[in-house]
Amino acid sequence: ISSELKLAISIPSNATVESLCLELISQLVLHKGQVMIETPEDGYSTSFCITMGSSKDKSIPLNSRDNMSLPFLQAISGQKVTSFQNRTAMHAWWGPTSRHWGDIKGNLSRGKSLGLAKAAASLMKKRHDPDTGSTLFTAR
């Protein structure tokens, strides 16, 4: 994920964290970003960690495995939210280097996310990382 990339994503008020992630994946595909990772032990994961705060290590990730089915508004309740003109500012960090990676791994391997991740993976370039045993998926 690039520090230069700024995206505006629209989601309905009843959106889940999962739908936010899927919308972000679709936007990153347009920018030819690396969007998913698959490992034999965890399955599919987003390649990013989404936080409300601007500190990747101090902020709580929204897109942990356990939060994916939560309504977005519930997931951000209790967190410091920066809003302006009916928009909420969020940050996306490269997931594998985040201290929260253990909570994020496998977040696309349950429920409807799994089917969507498999479909998206079939449309992307794959690169196997022999050091980690993972497969990285990048937009074509």
Side-chain angles (χ1 to χ4, degrees):
I1 299 192
S2 168
S3 61
E4 297 157 9
L5 185 60
K6 307 279 188 244
L7 300 173
I9 297 174
S10 296
I11 56 173
S13 60
N14 64 344
T16 61
V17 173
E18 175 184 61
S19 56
L20 168 69
C21 288
L22 296 173
E23 181 60 26
L24 181 54
I25 286 171
S26 70
Q27 291 294 315
L28 289 172
V29 164
L30 295 174
H31 293 279
K32 309 257 187 260
Q34 204 165 62
V35 296
M36 292 189 320
I37 298 171
E38 180 186 24
T39 60
E41 61 276 358
D42 300 305
Y44 292 98
S45 308
T46 56
S47 63
F48 47 83
C49 173
I50 301 173
T51 65
M52 299 303 294
S54 59
S55 169
K56 73 176 179 179
D57 291 327
K58 293 180 182 175
S59 301
I60 299 168
L62 292 179
N63 59 323
S64 67
R65 280 183 312 281
D66 296 334
N67 280 359
M68 294 299 278
S69 62
L70 286 179
F72 173 72
L73 294 176
Q74 180 182 341
I76 65 170
S77 69
Q79 294 197 39
K80 183 179 178 185
V81 177
T82 304
S83 295
F84 49 94
Q85 297 178 347
N86 205 21
R87 295 180 181 202
T88 301
M90 290 177 281
H91 303 271
W93 312 94
W94 178 241
T97 58
S98 165
R99 73 178 186 97
H100 301 294
W101 182 238
D103 297 325
I104 295 168
K105 289 190 302 185
N107 65 354
L108 295 177
S109 293
R110 297 180 183 169
K112 71 177 183 177
S113 292
L114 178 58
L116 294 169
K118 286 181 178 181
S122 70
L123 301 172
M124 295 184 208
K125 288 191 288 188
K126 300 173 189 177
R127 183 175 61 85
H128 182 72
D129 183 344
D131 295 333
T132 64
S134 62
T135 303
L136 307 173
F137 294 93
T138 306
R140 293 180 191 249

